[in-house]
Amino acid sequence: MPLRQSLGSPTSAGHRASVASELSPRTDPGHPGPVENSISEPDEEDQHSDNDSEDDDEEPALRYKRLGGSVDALFEKDTASALAAAERFLVLGTHWGNIVVIDFEGNEVQRWRAHSATVNSVSVDAAGEYVASAGDDGRVVVRALYTDDVTIVDYSRPVKAVALDPQYSRRA
């Protein structure tokens, strides 16, 4: 007997009979009426859950505000290459190696030249007291925003990313 017939192929008589018996009502000797299989139409709750999944596909509404202030003037001769957002301000790294701190209104708060080439990454600690930057010049610069503390490490090759420990300002 071929293997397909022994497993009950869809064309075999035994298979058709078992499918038919599963789909038709049957009686149970201990039950007063026919026993129906649990194939049912979706009820209202199922239909609502389908609608909910459609609602989940919609994009969330976002509130945003354009930066005002001197943002246009900041980028007349330079372009941003990296961005980090802190609780009270934004930090931008530029292609000319500058770090620019702006408030949420778009006003320049601080600016300094940290690199001689493109800034690839900027990072801010959780307290918003230190800014780190990494550049194509191979340097990583960590600078305090409210004191004169500056740390520079030269890796002699481009550095593509930097991340400050969120607790960096609490170091010993």
Side-chain angles (χ1 to χ4, degrees):
M1 170 180 257
L3 181 62
R4 184 163 181 90
Q5 287 180 346
S6 66
L7 293 176
S9 70
T11 58
S12 68
H15 181 72
R16 283 191 302 257
S18 66
V19 170
S21 68
E22 287 177 18
L23 296 178
S24 63
R26 59 185 188 272
T27 57
D28 184 4
H31 194 275
V35 176
E36 299 281 334
N37 283 333
S38 62
I39 300 173
S40 63
E41 295 294 319
D43 59 2
E44 287 185 29
E45 286 183 25
D46 290 340
Q47 290 175 356
H48 289 302
S49 66
D50 289 343
N51 291 339
D52 290 342
S53 66
E54 290 175 11
D55 292 340
D56 293 341
D57 294 340
E58 292 181 22
E59 289 188 34
L62 300 174
R63 285 186 10 213
Y64 69 94
K65 180 179 172 184
R66 287 189 181 268
L67 291 175
S70 60
V71 174
D72 292 337
L74 291 173
F75 299 111
E76 283 180 353
K77 298 180 182 178
D78 201 357
T79 57
S81 58
L83 170 77
E87 194 172 315
R88 298 180 304 255
F89 53 85
L90 298 173
V91 179
L92 301 166
T94 71
H95 282 287
W96 283 7
N98 294 314
I99 303 296
V100 182
V101 179
I102 60 174
D103 63 16
F104 288 123
E105 298 300 318
N107 302 311
E108 184 176 319
V109 177
Q110 288 187 30
R111 173 190 289 260
W112 65 91
R113 176 90 181 212
H115 300 276
S116 60
T118 298
V119 176
N120 293 317
S121 179
V122 290
S123 178
V124 181
D125 72 330
E129 295 181 19
Y130 286 86
V131 173
S133 60
D136 276 347
D137 60 356
R139 294 173 24 154
V140 171
V141 178
V142 180
R143 179 176 172 170
L145 292 176
Y146 307 110
T147 66
D148 293 333
D149 186 18
V150 178
T151 303
I152 300 171
V153 180
D154 192 345
Y155 289 98
S156 301
R157 62 183 59 91
V159 180
K160 298 297 183 184
V162 66
L164 272 180
D165 179 357
Q167 304 303 319
Y168 186 83
S169 63
R170 295 185 183 166
R171 73 190 197 288

